[in-house]
Amino acid sequence: MGIAKKNRKYAVMKHVISQRDSRLKKNELKGEEAAKKKQKGDDVIREIPQQPSALFFQYNTALTPPYSVLVDTNFLSHTVQHKLELLPTMMDCLYAKCTPVITSCVMGELEKLGPKYRIALRIARDERWERLRCDHKGVYADDCICDRVVKHRVYIVATNDRDLKRRVRKISGVPIMSVARGKYVIERLPDAPEK
């Protein structure tokens, strides 16, 4: 057996260190800075938001008649579709006096929706309902309602919006009212009358 001939390989590049290699001086410095930042991030003291004193487990003792009901755009449009009166139907659902509360964000959303929602807008502009002014930027009613409910847990949220319902369910002690089967239904209110 003879020795195998070794052919020379043409146009083969030698291995070059990449620009991101950790052995390079500039990358070493970056790595040290990242490690320092990570250490600083671990030292952060995390705070758990304090639960309101009105909550007894999931039961909210601050919710007593007359109920304040935060009304959403979606809820008003479903009320119009099902040809329901806002206040009498709410009272039939809760068996108690209640005051619909409409924020300026909800009014802004209804005005933006145009002539298709003019009846819902007329209902919302009624003088009997309580109006709340919003002090934040933008007119996205879902965020506004969630923030207000977290700050003051004395409201029932009236909405048919799935995403908003999902967000409100994560907040303990806040009941949700919605339109279903030609009437209003309430969930998560312990004192609510049985069906």
Side-chain angles (χ1 to χ4, degrees), residues 50-112:
Q50 187 178 357
Q51 289 293 329
S53 58
L55 283 181
F56 180 74
F57 296 111
Q58 293 283 1
Y59 182 81
N60 190 353
T61 55
L63 274 174
T64 54
Y67 296 110
S68 296
V69 184
L70 263 178
V71 181
D72 185 33
T73 315
N74 204 296
F75 186 80
L76 283 169
S77 66
H78 276 272
T79 300
V80 171
Q81 281 175 7
H82 289 281
K83 296 177 182 161
L84 300 169
E85 283 189 59
L86 191 66
L87 194 62
T89 321
M90 267 185 195
M91 288 178 154
D92 289 347
C93 175
L94 295 169
Y95 289 149
K97 193 173 187 292
C98 51
T99 53
V101 179
I102 296 171
T103 62
S104 52
C105 288
V106 171
M107 289 300 288
E109 266 190 12
L110 280 168
E111 286 163 3
K112 275 185 180 177

Side-chain angles (χ1 to χ4, degrees), residues 14-162:
K14 292 184 180 177
H15 291 286
V16 181
I17 296 176
S18 72
Q19 291 297 319
R20 285 188 243 137
D21 200 309
S22 60
R23 294 173 285 182
L24 290 174
K25 197 76 153 180
K26 60 178 183 181
N27 293 337
E28 265 183 37
L29 296 172
K30 283 182 186 173
E32 288 172 10
E33 287 173 15
K36 284 180 185 175
K37 280 185 183 176
K38 200 175 263 187
Q39 275 186 335
K40 284 182 184 176
D42 293 341
D43 297 342
V44 175
I45 299 167
R46 288 177 173 74
E47 289 185 28
I48 299 169
Q50 187 178 357
Q51 289 293 329
S53 58
L55 283 181
F56 180 74
F57 296 111
Q58 293 283 1
Y59 182 81
N60 190 353
T61 55
L63 274 174
T64 54
Y67 296 110
S68 296
V69 184
L70 263 178
V71 181
D72 185 33
T73 315
N74 204 296
F75 186 80
L76 283 169
S77 66
H78 276 272
T79 300
V80 171
Q81 281 175 7
H82 289 281
K83 296 177 182 161
L84 300 169
E85 283 189 59
L86 191 66
L87 194 62
T89 321
M90 267 185 195
M91 288 178 154
D92 289 347
C93 175
L94 295 169
Y95 289 149
K97 193 173 187 292
C98 51
T99 53
V101 179
I102 296 171
T103 62
S104 52
C105 288
V106 171
M107 289 300 288
E109 266 190 12
L110 280 168
E111 286 163 3
K112 275 185 180 177
L113 289 170
K116 191 177 178 186
Y117 292 87
R118 66 182 182 279
I119 300 166
L121 185 61
R122 192 183 300 156
I123 291 169
R125 282 192 177 139
D126 198 329
E127 295 297 319
R128 294 176 291 174
W129 321 147
E130 191 180 319
R131 296 291 296 279
L132 287 176
R133 300 223 60 65
C134 299
D135 53 350
H136 55 81
K137 291 180 181 176
V139 287
Y140 187 56
D142 292 9
D143 288 341
C144 174
I145 288 170
C146 279
D147 291 343
R148 200 170 285 276
V149 159
V150 168
K151 285 177 192 165
H152 317 285
R153 299 193 192 196
V154 293
Y155 297 111
I156 295 171
V157 177
T159 183
N160 264 46
D161 186 8
R162 272 194 192 147

